[in-house]
Amino acid sequence: MSLLTYILGWPLLAALVLAFVPRNYRFVARVVAIGATGLSLLFAAAMFLQFGGAAVSATGYRFEQVVPWVPSLGISYHVGVDGLNVGLILMGAIVAFAAACVSWEIKEREKEFYILLLVMTGGILGAFASLDLFFFYFFHELALVPTFIMIGVWGRGENRNYATFQITLYLSIGALLALLGLIALYLQSGANTFDIPKLTEYIRQNPMSLTSQHFIFPLLLFGFGILVSLWPFHTWAPLGYGSAPAPTAMLHAGVLKKFGLYGLIRIALPLMPQAAQSWMHVLAWLCLGNILYVGLVAMRQKNLNLLIGNSSVAHMGFVFLGIASLSLVGITGAVVVMIAHGLLAALTFGLSGYLYQQTGTLEMSRLGGLLRQLPFIGAAMVMAMFAGCGLPGFANFVGEFMIFFGAWKSGFLHGAGAMNWFVVVAAWGALIIGAVYMLRAARAVFHGPPQEKWAAVADANPWRKVPFVLLLASLFLFGCFPRLLTDKITPAAEPIVAMATARAAAPGTVARVSEPAVEPISDHLAPRQAATPETSGRPAEYNSAIQQMGNLRYETDRDASAIVNRQSPTAN
Amino acid sequence: MKLEVLPWLILFLPLLAAGVITLFTLKNRVVSARLSIGAVVAGFVLSVLFIKLNGFHPEPKELLANWLSVGDLRVGFGLRLDPLSLLMLLVVTGVASAIHIYSHGYMEDDRGYPRYFAGLSLFTFSMLGIVLSTNFIQLFIFWELVGLSSYLLIGFWFEKPSAADAAKKAFLTNRLGDFGFMLGILVVWATLGSLDFAVLQDKLAADPQALGAMATAAGLLIFCGAVGKSAQFPLHVWLPDAMEGPTPVSALIHAATMVAAGVYMLCRVFFLLNAPALHVIAVIGGVTALLAAVIAIQQNDIKRILAYSTLSQLGYMVMAVGVAGAGGNPAPAMFHLATHACFKALLFLGAGSVILGLHHEQDIWKMGGLRTKMPVTYWTFLVATLALCGVPPFSGFYSKDAIIAAAQNDGPVLFGLGVVVAALTTFYMFRLVLVAFHGPAKSDAARHAHESPGVMAWPLRILAVPSLFAGFWGVEKLVGSMYVTEEAGHAVAWYQEIFAPFVQAPAAAFGGLAAVLIGFFLAYALYARATTDPLPEKLGALATAMRNRFYLDEFYEATVIRFQDMIAAIADWWDRWIIAGVVVKGTHGTTELFGRALRLVQTGNLQTYAFLFVLGVAVVLYFALGK
């Protein structure tokens, strides 16, 4: 069995075991949950460390395991990792362990809580490990449903019911749209398989028709987008996280939310490149909504959790910008931010949960002067806030600046420099707006004269520190040695970028004539080799960008002509 | 190159100290202080040793590790060793050593003593990182870390609201500059395809037009970073507020090193700056120098006077970079940076000694007569003042003269400005000295002042040495050798060197000297025996404006900050009431309404069901058969 099966299996097994434990054995529930997530974490760390030396399958995945389930439909339990998801799984395992650790704040119906937490953990890790569309989606739903229950039952604040309603409404719609898209993808691809590597390979050889691409891609973009709180479908997130118990917020904001982004990168971009290309400038505009608009909204928040929630939405904008750049640097940066933000979101929600547990409020006007009482928690929170506004040394900085660089030079859609203004605004959001709300919060909550009402507030004891230290240390590690991540991500991102940036066909083919919908792209149709005469008029960066896309852009010319041949009947 | 490991040690020892203190010895005062002081003093000794072994021109070899490499984005992590960085290495570790030792005495009673030293060490590490960087991203990383450590140190007394606010303000204002800096880096990378200083320099040397139309924009964007960090107009507002930090911190990061980073960076990337960009840089520097000097005249807080003086001197340095002209020689800027680092650190430490001696009194109008009560502080302070004013043969005279001479070549406006600022500098500095150290004691605290202990007095004495003599150590020639090919130097005797400026650029030298004399006599006439400030009466509204820093802080508060907050309020309102309120609540309401309607149908009444059933059948039959 693959290591991956252990990683996602332990939490699910533990959930099953817990179901048979009497409910007043509270300590057992806690030990089982921490033990199972801890085991997951150990295995995930081992997998991350052995990644370089592990055997690679023909499709480029490691630690693979395939168990056929419904052969007639092409569904199988297929798990495996490449550079894209190995870091995400490690991050998920770290966050899950940390979430189990901070669950000591749950004081009622603990058994049920831990069962749901373990199911959620197994689901999240399974979703990232799955290389089969069916299980990919199934595991995501497995993780999503407990979220609603946990917010509804263990949530806090007066807005709990409304928040539960809103988050359920949004996420169900998002998941449903994505499901529609995935089913349509299965039906339209003609590959008759749910297996992602096979499907990818098949579509690389036989691209989907533009009509079906343009039908399916928006479903996936907005379906996955809603799951990631893409502007303007974001209002569920701050409210939901504000009302959620800390472990749930950590797992959802940190890990589960990345599912949509992962789906976009793994499935939507490479399988529907032409549709992706025509939608990317829409995405670029929408991501400014996340970065700028939601960043400004975060500035106005008076409640710490709402502020963190909004900031988490704003951070998703950077990932979207990286994706929209359709460049190797940008997408690698996007994956780094996904991992970094996962750790960071878990850290901030965990810390704010501790704060809430100690002070009974997260209204910033009622807090203040807490640093003397809470040296560790305060220092950790201030560090987290600095990480959130992109301070070097933390992994977020690496990802964000890579996204800026990738997007700045991405001349793919409308020629070199077309995205510069997006980057300018994004940099404003990252460097200025982020710093404004983070530092204001640090000032309001921790600085200022000590107050008597906090005399009873106690700092974390060594056990309570474990999850926070673990998360901070990971952020530091990846921030100081980013190649731990990028050296794994880049080789996996290369073929995806190559597929996603592939042109519809060679210039002057049927596709161009018969598909007015893609007219703007076909204006930029580029020949395969930079040396061909057509490129002579293009800017130098453009040519180098094409070369940079690597050998994988098209396997051979022969493949490309196969694309044209196959496409023409469908297009007509 | 001998002992290549030394620069790495110099860089990472302070980080090690900061890490160990934070993780292990936060409760142990003695060990923390020893670690921190030991790291920086060792850094200074090793720097001297390295330069002794290799000279200022080690073989041009960069010690490089691959930090990040994705596609065509390649970022190394290395150490750049040339006269510029080696000089800065000496200045930073040297001045920082004195300040670390001084802090040992100054901060002794503070409960956050170990945390303080951790902050100092982190700062030293970041600053050394800037100095040794080989490429833009590495520089930017340490640049931000300097911002972080200044946040931690300015806000060291975070329980004091004004200190916490000042820390926030410093970081945010710096971030504004960094925003432009980041964009500048992006432009350079996108057009030239590299981030490495050496590669970029070669590329531009091979083709000076390589940046094309973006040349001016790139230069000005990068300059934005220096505007933030070196506190140039219009982003200068953070520096005076930063005086809320402990006084040694002000000495270290707001006088000698952090604010110098901007000037250093401009010299490092000097090859990127073209003539129009340099012109803007010169003007901004000149405006800052004048504005800050005028404001300094009406400040009453001893640290604030020094803070504005720092601003003014930084303006000089930035102007020196600007007036060097494209392809010129910005060595005067580095020269002044080096001498200023010594004497300004000395001034701040002297001010700290006064503040401690008077039990935290900072108003100069409550001092007076300290000359006899604090002799070491007084004499060293005087040495630094003379150096700052530019009195020969103190170091400041030579560096300032080099700048004024360069400005003279540029044109009469900046030359005149340089001379006027020199006069203003002498005026406000002697106002400070005469009011605080001479005349009668103006408060009880001043009457009972006492000299500081040896651990604080010795750093003052040590810093007085370079404040006096650094003009003769050939700093300018050393740095200049990087920018222009050296002329065959003829050896000059030491006494000739004293008078060299009067021979080489007499207008600048005599102009500067005259300015000093005018400033001194004005200050003496007004303040020698004053117990209150006579100027406000004479200047009226102008003095009020000067005291209130020309209302620039209030102006920013009312415009930039208010504007951003207003947009944020609108966005928040829209989110709360339109998206979440109308759309989601609308869906909520519709769903609920629908549910209620459906519930009406489910009455549980058998007759109703039977009736509906029959009705349904009738309808179906009508459609099936009737048509």
Side-chain angles (χ1 to χ4, degrees):
Chain A
M1 274 208 286
S2 156
L3 262 181
L4 283 166
T5 307
Y6 289 106
I7 293 173
L8 67 97
W10 278 114
L12 293 177
L13 186 69
L16 202 65
V17 169
L18 269 194
F20 297 102
V21 172
R23 70 168 56 244
N24 50 355
Y25 284 26
R26 296 175 165 177
F27 186 67
V28 174
R30 187 161 163 69
V31 166
V32 169
I34 292 182
T37 48
L39 272 177
S40 262
L41 172 57
L42 286 182
F43 281 117
M47 179 184 73
F48 190 80
L49 292 176
Q50 292 169 16
F51 183 81
V56 188
S57 74
T59 42
Y61 292 92
R62 299 165 208 238
F63 301 103
E64 259 192 308
Q65 185 182 2
V66 187
V67 182
W69 189 49
V70 188
S72 58
L73 287 173
I75 302 179
S76 54
Y77 169 79
H78 183 182
V79 289
V81 287
D82 62 359
L84 217 53
N85 54 356
V86 65
L88 288 169
I89 289 174
L90 176 66
M91 180 273 281
I94 295 174
V95 172
F97 176 71
C101 286
V102 304
S103 295
W104 59 272
E105 68 163 53
I106 302 295
K107 300 286 185 218
E108 52 182 24
R109 299 188 216 172
E110 285 142 307
K111 177 182 150 182
E112 287 79 2
F113 185 86
Y114 282 111
I115 291 179
L116 288 173
L117 189 82
L118 288 166
V119 169
M120 197 173 167
T121 304
I124 291 170
L125 297 173
F128 285 124
S130 288
L131 292 176
D132 181 278
L133 282 184
F134 177 84
F135 279 96
F136 174 71
Y137 190 81
F138 165 77
F139 276 123
H140 173 251
E141 290 295 297
L142 193 64
L144 191 58
V145 176
T147 318
F148 306 145
I149 304 173
M150 283 156 110
I151 298 177
V153 177
W154 288 273
R156 55 192 179 212
E158 301 151 11
N159 273 333
R160 187 171 79 195
N161 289 333
Y162 175 55
T164 314
F165 166 75
Q166 199 179 359
I167 195 172
T168 312
L169 179 74
Y170 265 107
L171 295 188
S172 306
I173 292 177
L176 209 64
L177 286 178
L179 179 65
L180 280 177
L182 293 178
I183 293 175
L185 177 66
Y186 171 77
L187 295 175
Q188 290 292 314
S189 69
N192 194 30
T193 177
F194 279 96
D195 193 78
I196 296 175
K198 281 187 200 150
L199 195 64
T200 312
E201 195 48 40
Y202 183 85
I203 289 179
R204 194 206 298 277
Q205 311 284 349
N206 317 285
M208 302 221 303
S209 77
L210 290 179
T211 325
S212 41
Q213 282 194 27
H214 281 285
F215 171 68
I216 299 170
F217 188 81
L219 286 176
L220 289 184
L221 176 64
F222 288 104
F224 285 140
I226 291 172
L227 294 179
V228 196
S229 62
L230 174 64
W231 187 86
F233 313 106
H234 64 279
T235 53
W236 59 267
L239 210 59
Y241 297 149
S243 311
T248 312
M250 288 165 75
L251 271 176
H252 192 281
V255 199
L256 191 55
K257 212 177 178 185
K258 309 295 178 298
F259 168 83
L261 299 164
Y262 175 68
L264 276 179
I265 298 176
R266 172 75 88 203
I267 296 167
L269 292 188
L271 300 192
M272 282 154 285
Q274 283 78 40
Q277 289 158 24
S278 63
W279 275 98
M280 279 307 121
H281 68 274
V282 176
L283 185 62
W285 278 105
L286 293 182
C287 86
L288 291 193
N290 280 72
I291 295 171
L292 193 64
Y293 174 95
V294 181
L296 288 167
V297 171
M299 272 174 61
R300 292 293 298 178
Q301 299 309 313
K302 298 184 173 59
N303 180 299
L304 184 64
N305 246 10
L306 289 181
L307 184 143
I308 300 173
N310 273 300
S311 116
S312 143
V313 176
H315 278 100
M316 292 302 99
F318 297 115
V319 184
F320 283 124
L321 181 66
I323 293 177
S325 79
L326 282 182
S327 71
L328 182 61
V329 178
I331 289 193
T332 308
V335 179
V336 174
V337 172
M338 281 158 70
I339 294 167
H341 177 262
L343 298 167
L344 175 67
L347 181 62
T348 42
F349 280 118
L351 289 167
S352 82
Y354 187 95
L355 210 58
Y356 182 77
Q357 198 265 341
Q358 289 289 323
T359 62
T361 181
L362 287 175
E363 290 300 319
M364 289 193 277
S365 55
R366 297 184 51 203
L367 296 168
L370 276 164
L371 195 53
R372 183 70 75 205
Q373 286 301 108
L374 297 173
F376 173 80
I377 293 292
M381 190 65 143
V382 171
M383 279 206 255
M385 285 170 164
F386 271 111
C389 57
L391 191 84
F394 298 99
N396 304 65
F397 167 76
V398 182
E400 280 168 27
F401 97 77
M402 281 170 70
I403 288 171
F404 295 156
F405 276 72
W408 186 273
K409 214 170 169 183
S410 158
F412 193 76
L413 292 178
H414 306 289
M419 282 182 76
N420 288 3
W421 287 108
F422 292 98
V423 178
V424 171
V425 175
W428 180 265
L431 289 168
I432 311 292
I433 298 180
V436 169
Y437 61 70
M438 286 301 191
L439 292 193
R440 277 186 186 173
R443 166 77 183 83
V445 176
F446 295 108
H447 292 170
Q451 301 184 23
E452 270 187 29
K453 60 180 169 184
W454 305 138
V457 167
D459 204 18
N461 66 31
W463 282 112
R464 304 264 189 270
K465 284 180 187 171
V466 168
F468 305 130
V469 169
L470 181 68
L471 290 165
L472 263 179
S474 326
L475 274 175
F476 258 127
L477 183 70
F478 293 134
C480 294
F481 304 99
R483 281 178 64 203
L484 287 175
L485 292 175
T486 55
D487 282 0
K488 296 185 176 68
I489 298 168
T490 312
E494 251 168 0
I496 287 174
V497 174
M499 277 182 85
T501 52
R503 295 304 183 180
T509 53
V510 191
R512 183 178 191 179
V513 183
S514 61
E515 281 289 336
V518 285
E519 203 61 67
I521 316 165
S522 41
D523 283 349
H524 288 273
L525 285 175
R528 223 142 294 115
Q529 267 117 30
T532 35
E534 284 96 324
T535 52
S536 52
R538 299 183 188 282
E541 298 95 303
Y542 192 80
N543 286 339
S544 66
I546 291 173
Q547 273 174 332
Q548 168 216 331
M549 282 163 207
N551 314 329
L552 285 158
R553 255 196 87 220
Y554 279 121
E555 295 293 322
T556 55
D557 277 342
R558 183 176 44 80
D559 281 357
S561 49
I563 295 167
V564 178
N565 292 339
R566 189 190 134 73
Q567 212 160 43
S568 7
T570 17
N572 286 324
Chain B
M1 203 176 344
K2 290 167 200 148
L3 287 178
E4 287 180 16
V5 69
L6 285 186
W8 293 100
L9 273 180
I10 297 166
L11 175 61
F12 281 105
L13 275 178
L15 178 66
L16 192 70
V20 171
I21 293 172
T22 315
L23 292 179
F24 304 112
T25 69
L26 269 183
K27 301 241 154 60
N28 191 332
R29 302 164 72 90
V30 181
V31 176
S32 301
R34 279 189 189 155
L35 276 172
S36 177
I37 296 173
V40 66
V41 173
F44 180 63
V45 173
L46 295 180
S47 306
V48 173
L49 180 67
F50 183 81
I51 293 166
K52 267 263 177 283
L53 285 173
N54 297 298
F56 274 101
H57 293 271
E59 297 145 45
K61 177 180 162 192
E62 286 177 358
L63 315 159
L64 211 64
N66 180 1
W67 187 67
L68 179 73
S69 167
V70 176
D72 52 353
L73 177 64
R74 272 178 292 279
V75 182
F77 187 96
L79 304 181
R80 191 174 166 89
L81 300 167
D82 57 12
L84 193 59
S85 60
L86 288 173
L87 168 73
M88 278 300 279
L89 213 55
L90 283 180
V91 172
V92 173
T93 53
V95 173
S97 294
I99 293 170
H100 273 69
I101 295 167
Y102 176 94
S103 301
H104 179 49
Y106 190 87
M107 298 298 289
E108 201 164 11
D109 299 330
D110 200 281
R111 61 186 289 184
Y113 184 80
R115 179 166 60 91
Y116 172 83
F117 274 105
L120 276 193
S121 282
L122 179 67
F123 172 78
T124 312
F125 164 70
S126 321
M127 188 64 205
L128 290 173
I130 290 187
V131 169
L132 293 169
S133 287
T134 55
N135 63 63
F136 267 120
I137 290 296
Q138 194 188 347
L139 181 78
F140 189 81
I141 288 173
F142 286 108
W143 193 260
E144 291 289 298
L145 289 182
V146 163
L148 169 74
S149 29
S150 78
Y151 174 85
L152 296 176
L153 287 170
I154 297 169
F156 179 73
W157 289 314
F158 55 82
E159 286 170 353
K160 206 166 122 195
S162 56
D165 288 335
K168 192 179 76 170
K169 182 173 177 179
F171 192 83
L172 291 180
T173 318
N174 267 294
R175 267 291 168 98
L176 275 173
D178 296 349
F179 167 68
F181 191 23
M182 186 78 196
L183 296 180
I185 295 175
L186 280 167
V187 170
V188 169
W189 176 74
T191 23
L192 296 180
S194 176
L195 289 163
D196 195 272
F197 295 135
V199 177
L200 289 173
Q201 192 161 11
D202 288 347
K203 282 195 178 180
L204 277 172
D207 174 15
Q209 302 302 317
L211 270 169
M214 298 303 282
T216 311
L220 289 179
L221 284 171
I222 287 171
F223 175 57
C224 282
V227 171
K229 197 116 312 188
S230 285
Q232 296 297 294
F233 175 83
L235 297 184
H236 63 279
V237 289
W238 67 268
L239 197 142
D241 287 26
M243 296 302 132
E244 289 293 340
T247 307
V249 168
S250 309
L252 179 60
I253 69 184
H254 305 119
T257 51
M258 167 176 168
V259 290
V263 178
Y264 171 79
M265 186 267 281
L266 288 178
C267 292
R268 173 60 77 207
V269 303
F270 188 70
F271 57 89
L272 272 171
L273 307 169
N274 66 356
L278 284 170
H279 187 68
V280 175
I281 291 173
V283 171
I284 294 274
V287 169
T288 310
L290 184 64
L291 182 77
V294 171
I295 294 175
I297 290 174
Q298 276 299 296
Q299 299 300 313
N300 294 327
D301 181 317
I302 185 167
K303 282 178 76 180
R304 289 210 172 225
I305 298 174
L306 294 179
Y308 279 103
S309 148
T310 302
L311 283 180
S312 176
Q313 299 303 309
L314 287 165
Y316 262 129
M317 297 175 212
V318 169
M319 185 173 90
V321 174
V323 295
N329 180 5
M334 283 307 293
F335 187 19
H336 198 53
L337 190 160
T339 59
H340 175 259
C342 299
F343 60 69
K344 188 50 71 64
L346 176 51
L347 283 174
F348 267 107
L349 295 188
S353 171
V354 169
I355 292 168
L356 208 62
L358 271 66
H359 304 290
H360 297 279
E361 180 55 65
Q362 302 198 9
D363 188 343
I364 56 168
W365 294 101
K366 292 187 177 149
M367 298 175 184
L370 299 178
R371 181 168 51 124
T372 46
K373 296 196 184 72
M374 310 179 78
V376 179
T377 306
Y378 171 68
W379 285 107
T380 50
F381 200 89
L382 192 65
V383 167
T385 304
L386 292 172
L388 173 59
C389 299
V391 177
F394 293 87
S395 60
F397 169 72
Y398 299 93
S399 52
K400 194 181 279 188
D401 176 72
I403 294 176
I404 296 178
Q408 191 190 359
N409 295 333
D410 184 74
V413 178
L414 288 177
F415 171 67
L417 196 144
V419 173
V420 170
V421 172
L424 292 173
T425 308
T426 317
F427 180 76
Y428 67 69
M429 279 315 292
F430 274 96
R431 171 177 179 261
L432 166 59
V433 170
L434 291 171
V435 172
F437 289 93
H438 293 252
K442 297 173 191 73
S443 71
D444 274 346
R447 271 183 278 283
H448 300 110
H450 57 84
E451 181 59 284
S452 300
V455 65
M456 289 166 66
W458 274 105
L460 298 179
R461 294 190 180 102
I462 293 167
L463 281 172
V465 175
S467 301
L468 232 176
F469 297 113
F472 309 125
W473 293 345
V475 175
E476 193 184 6
K477 262 191 201 137
L478 174 72
V479 177
S481 67
M482 281 184 50
Y483 298 95
V484 287
T485 40
E486 242 168 314
E487 314 140 27
H490 45 280
V492 285
W494 63 271
Y495 55 87
Q496 279 175 308
E497 206 151 323
I498 295 180
F499 301 106
F502 295 97
V503 182
Q504 285 158 7
F510 284 110
L513 206 54
V516 170
L517 290 175
I518 294 170
F520 175 74
F521 282 120
L522 276 177
Y524 191 82
L526 281 172
Y527 293 107
R529 269 169 298 278
T531 48
T532 52
D533 198 342
L535 260 194
E537 283 172 29
K538 297 195 166 105
L539 293 176
L542 180 63
T544 318
M546 279 149 74
R547 199 161 49 244
N548 289 306
R549 299 151 299 184
F550 291 106
Y551 302 100
L552 278 170
D553 289 58
E554 288 80 1
F555 176 72
Y556 291 155
E557 179 74 43
T559 53
V560 182
I561 299 170
R562 193 69 59 79
F563 181 67
Q564 183 140 327
D565 275 343
M566 202 178 71
I567 300 183
I570 295 171
D572 183 47
W573 180 85
W574 183 264
D575 230 33
R576 217 174 270 257
W577 298 109
I578 305 300
I579 298 190
V582 177
V583 179
V584 177
K585 284 228 166 99
T587 321
H588 192 183
T590 322
T591 321
E592 200 160 295
L593 215 64
F594 204 64
R596 273 169 205 241
L598 281 178
R599 205 172 59 194
L600 287 180
V601 179
Q602 285 193 345
T603 54
N605 186 333
L606 204 61
Q607 283 153 340
T608 316
Y609 286 159
F611 171 70
L612 286 174
F613 179 73
V614 173
L615 196 70
V617 170
V619 170
V620 170
L621 283 178
Y622 172 75
F623 277 103
L625 307 173
K627 289 211 165 172

